[in-house]
Amino acid sequence: MKCNTGTADRTIRIIAGLVLVALASTGTVGVWGYIGAVPLLTGLVGFCPAYSIFGMNTCGIKKS
């Protein structure tokens, strides 16, 4: 798994994931808010499987 998400992308994913999980845990948005774990995990790891499928890459590192 090579990094395919850039710094800004990762930051947005982590923030959005934390917000969704926090809202779900307080009961504000319901159980579906726990889907925020997906962007949170992909932001922390730096790899997005959907980006691989669609050939996208927001990471600044060039492919070898």
Side-chain angles (χ1 to χ4, degrees):
M1 291 187 325
K2 292 185 178 182
C3 176
N4 65 359
T5 56
T7 306
D9 191 4
R10 290 177 75 175
T11 304
I12 293 168
R13 287 170 182 266
I14 291 170
I15 292 170
L18 286 173
V19 168
L20 280 172
V21 170
L23 289 172
S25 66
T26 60
T28 306
V29 294
V31 179
W32 69 268
Y34 287 109
I35 197 73
V38 174
L40 178 60
L41 182 63
T42 59
L44 292 173
V45 174
F47 176 77
C48 178
Y51 277 12
S52 293
I53 292 170
F54 295 113
M56 296 175 61
N57 187 354
T58 61
C59 189
I61 301 171
K62 293 186 177 189
K63 295 181 182 177
S64 299

